[in-house]
Amino acid sequence: MAKQLTRREQVRQETIEKILSIAREEMQENGVAALSLGVIAKRLGMRTPSLYTYFDSKNDIYDELFRRGFLEFGRRMDERPNQDKSLRENLESALRSYMRFAQENQDLYQLMFQRPVPGFVPSEESMAVSLARLDSIRGQFMQILEREEITLDIPYEEARDLYIAFQHGLTELHLANNPELPVGQGRFGKLIPQAVQMVVDAWKK
């Protein structure tokens, strides 16, 4: 049974959520690296030093958003369709889910998969959440490769990283060229099926 929060604890948690929500709004409007504690404090109607009651530093806010971003990303990947289907269907589902997450959460996507903030390094706890996602991907795709009797010519880790780079590059190009169009449309978004087929054909040789 979940512990009942005291009124003081509840108010503190509500304030933390407000801080994170404002931080995301500022990141979306002004860029991830432009986040300002002074602006957050002003919008909350408090003095900047008061924020340190909730977060030790601006990097701690980034870290919490990084961790939450990967938790949400992991949830979406776990719930995506066609996970029990063929390698091609699975990879296409993964790429579409990745691109959709990036399009709907561009601030978190930049924080998680790019290096937009000089000096920010995720904590061990947050990195553990992101690495757990990689482990999950490894287990799932190893099962698919075994089921379809696919033997790779390169180590699995290299094949996985090449696919991640492929997926990331296509997503970046879609966001840069047609950010207003849904996944599956636009100059690069529409190339998902062809891109996945190229990977599958290469792996099945």
Side-chain angles (χ1 to χ4, degrees), residues 18 20 32 78 109 117 156 158 164 181 183 190 205:
K18 288 179 182 177
L20 295 174
V32 175
D78 288 339
Y109 171 75
V117 184
Y156 167 79
E158 292 182 8
I164 289 175
L181 294 180
V183 173
K190 69 180 181 182
K205 287 182 180 179

Side-chain angles (χ1 to χ4, degrees), residues 136-163:
S136 176
I137 291 172
R138 175 186 175 85
Q140 183 181 70
F141 284 116
M142 287 300 290
Q143 290 179 357
I144 297 173
L145 294 177
E146 291 175 2
R147 186 175 71 226
E148 299 194 16
E149 299 181 346
I150 299 173
T151 302
L152 301 177
D153 293 332
I154 60 176
Y156 167 79
E157 287 74 14
E158 292 182 8
R160 177 203 62 198
D161 289 346
L162 281 170
Y163 180 74

Side-chain angles (χ1 to χ4, degrees), residues 38-56:
V39 171
I40 295 174
K42 184 177 181 180
R43 289 186 57 181
L44 281 170
M46 64 171 63
R47 297 174 62 244
T48 301
S50 299
L51 286 178
Y52 295 109
T53 305
Y54 306 95
F55 292 95
D56 291 339

Side-chain angles (χ1 to χ4, degrees), residues 67-79:
R67 186 185 69 84
R68 291 190 182 198
F70 268 104
L71 288 173
E72 173 61 17
F73 176 68
R75 183 189 68 78
R76 292 192 182 202
M77 295 300 283
D78 288 339
E79 295 177 356

